Amino acid sequence: MKKIEEYFVPWVKGIPMYISGHIELAWKKPELHRMMSNENPNPPSEKVLEAIIKYAKMSNRYPDQGLVVRGKIAQINGLGGAENVMLGNGSSEVYDNIFRCFLAPGEEVIQHTPCFGIYKLRGTILGGKMVSVPMIYKDKYLHYDATGIIKAITDKTKIIVIANPNNPTGNYMDAKDFVRIAETGIPFIVDEAYVEYAGLGMSQVGLTKNYKNVIVTRTLSKAYGLAGLRFGYAMGDKDVIGQISAALLPWNVGTIPMWAALAALEDTEALAFRVKFNNGEVDFITEALSEVADLVVFPSKANYILFDCGKTGKKGKDMVAYTESKGLIFRPESEKYGSDGWFRITIGSKEENRMAVDVVREFLTKK
Ligand SMILES: Cc1ncc(COP(=O)(O)O)c(C=O)c1O
């Protein structure tokens, strides 16, 4: 008799469950300040809470297919209608669903690194091969490399995924480079998880009207501040969205997140408040820490800021350990471009951001 282990498909066998250590730590020790996961420091608005309570009372019922909220998303983005929008249990599930529709074992996904880790997790679990094209580190800035991405295409490339703005760098790719990649015809996912911070004027959603291969993803986890609710969506051509939606798990998005999302999308004042707060705090931290000698501060249009303190002689992981000893959780980044000085800070409350600036200065100036 064969052992159960031998029945696992080879690309799943041996892969551990994804556990986010810093999020586990933050829940276990609520006294720590969460400045590591690009969450929103502001709790949900009253209107969102009202919707949550209203639909919690109907939790005995199955959700419908979400035509109302999908229609609202289409309207906000100038698309035809609900058929241009697919919902997911967070945008992480949206990638999973899209990847399953295009990727077979042995085929390739191009990602632009450093980037969000979920693309690799979902690609690998399907037996896909991740092809990582690095951004270019030059003049204290990480540049997108559209030419590098196009050069990495092979006859096995089934997906190209790019975040705009990118996590962790916080910057945007030039509009003309999106067109160059869209022109390849390869399924091209543009991850706009943080676009609301710079405004929808920066979105590439318009491309979906001319290029059926372009799919734009978003989430309510960031500027809308609903990470725990799990609500994301994809936008694209209606035939493409229809085909991808066929692979969805039935009832993948619950009644509560669906209606809470609608309330959040309608509550434009609450969004404007969160965006203004965030952008003011990004400016504060950027200015305060730009004065520190040899610290590279990456200009961000999102709710996090990337730093490279390699030239100060300190290590990013030591910075993260030091700030944790002071009660703040930052995010370490792997060694790259010959530097081990990388770390990322997520915007917190006003008080947390001031504490963060003090602790970073303290660490970098202490002998
Ligand atoms: C680039 C990027 N995309 C998407 C997400 C959001 O994922 P979700 O919608 O599953 O919360 C994140 C969260 O950190 C991210 O950094």
Side-chain angles (χ1 to χ4, degrees):
M1 201 171 72
K2 278 208 294 186
K3 286 193 195 148
I4 176 75
E5 285 78 9
E6 294 174 54
Y7 285 89
F8 284 114
V9 290
W11 45 90
V12 169
K13 193 174 168 181
I15 295 186
M17 175 185 170
Y18 174 70
I19 300 169
S20 177
H22 42 271
I23 293 180
E24 296 291 315
L25 173 71
W27 279 103
K28 214 183 291 169
K29 294 190 174 174
E31 68 278 13
L32 294 175
H33 298 278
R34 306 170 70 125
M35 306 186 78
M36 70 308 173
S37 294
N38 302 348
E39 297 164 331
N40 197 311
N42 299 293
S45 72
E46 278 309 310
K47 287 181 180 154
V48 171
L49 290 174
E50 273 167 29
I52 291 175
I53 290 164
K54 178 172 170 194
Y55 287 92
K57 290 179 183 162
M58 295 185 211
S59 296
N60 53 320
R61 303 297 181 194
Y62 280 103
D64 63 8
Q65 57 156 313
L67 283 178
V68 179
V69 68
R70 286 163 60 199
K72 178 70 187 171
I73 291 166
Q75 180 230 321
I76 292 173
N77 290 284
L79 300 173
E83 64 277 14
N84 296 96
V85 181
M86 180 188 86
L87 305 184
N89 189 11
S91 52
S92 298
E93 192 194 43
V94 168
Y95 308 125
D96 184 62
N97 210 51
I98 300 172
F99 280 27
R100 280 189 292 114
C101 291
F102 292 115
L103 195 66
E107 294 179 336
E108 296 172 2
V109 178
I110 297 180
Q111 61 175 4
H112 205 27
T113 51
C115 66
F116 184 41
I118 303 288
Y119 316 137
K120 181 172 177 198
L121 284 172
R122 300 330 300 165
T124 317
I125 210 81
L126 295 168
K129 181 177 165 229
M130 299 308 292
V131 176
S132 296
V133 177
M135 296 177 90
I136 298 168
Y137 193 14
K138 204 174 124 208
D139 303 328
K140 300 183 180 174
Y141 192 85
L142 276 155
H143 301 258
Y144 280 88
D145 182 12
T147 303
I149 290 166
I150 292 167
K151 274 194 194 145
I153 294 171
T154 72
D155 55 7
K156 288 197 173 143
T157 307
K158 291 299 166 75
I159 294 167
I160 299 173
V161 59
I162 290 182
N164 195 50
N166 187 41
N167 171 16
T169 55
N171 53 335
Y172 281 82
M173 186 162 82
D174 286 349
K176 63 175 180 353
D177 287 328
F178 280 98
V179 174
R180 283 172 68 203
I181 298 172
E183 289 280 345
T184 65
I186 294 167
F188 179 20
I189 308 174
V190 183
D191 179 347
E192 295 188 342
Y194 302 92
V195 75
E196 293 87 358
Y197 289 113
L200 294 192
M202 292 301 285
S203 174
Q204 296 300 324
V205 68
L207 281 182
T208 64
K209 293 183 183 166
N210 301 327
Y211 297 93
K212 279 183 94 160
N213 57 315
V214 176
I215 300 166
V216 172
T217 66
R218 300 253 184 88
T219 180
L220 264 65
S221 299
K222 308 302 176 182
Y224 286 97
L226 297 172
L229 209 60
R230 311 305 300 136
F231 186 93
Y233 57 95
M235 299 177 288
D237 173 84
K238 72 176 175 31
D239 298 336
V240 177
I241 289 293
Q243 187 60 75
I244 297 170
S245 300
L248 281 175
L249 273 178
W251 311 292
N252 64 321
V253 176
T255 311
I256 299 170
M258 214 184 261
W259 292 95
L262 179 70
L265 292 162
E266 285 173 343
D267 195 352
T268 48
E269 225 173 274
L271 175 67
F273 164 76
R274 283 160 181 72
V275 167
K276 189 165 175 230
F277 172 82
N278 177 77
N279 296 353
E281 294 299 292
V282 167
D283 289 348
F284 163 72
I285 297 181
T286 304
E287 279 162 31
L289 292 179
S290 293
E291 291 161 9
V292 179
D294 296 328
L295 175 66
V296 182
V297 185
F298 291 83
S300 175
K301 293 269 176 263
N303 69 343
Y304 48 84
I305 305 173
L306 178 67
F307 298 87
D308 176 9
C309 67
K311 288 249 157 47
T312 67
K314 300 270 167 85
K315 291 189 168 69
K317 72 172 177 19
D318 294 339
M319 162 76 75
V320 173
Y322 183 76
T323 56
E324 200 178 305
S325 74
K326 301 279 172 182
L328 305 171
I329 318 178
F330 286 3
R331 186 66 159 268
E333 284 277 328
S334 61
E335 188 172 337
K336 46 188 147 272
Y337 305 102
S339 171
D340 55 8
W342 302 93
F343 64 99
R344 193 192 70 194
I345 302 180
T346 297
I347 303 306
S349 66
K350 267 192 187 294
E351 197 189 354
E352 288 171 332
N353 299 331
R354 277 138 196 87
M355 280 163 60
V357 164
D358 290 346
V359 177
V360 170
R361 279 197 190 123
E362 195 179 288
F363 176 76
L364 293 177
T365 50
K366 85 183 169 71
K367 295 277 176 263

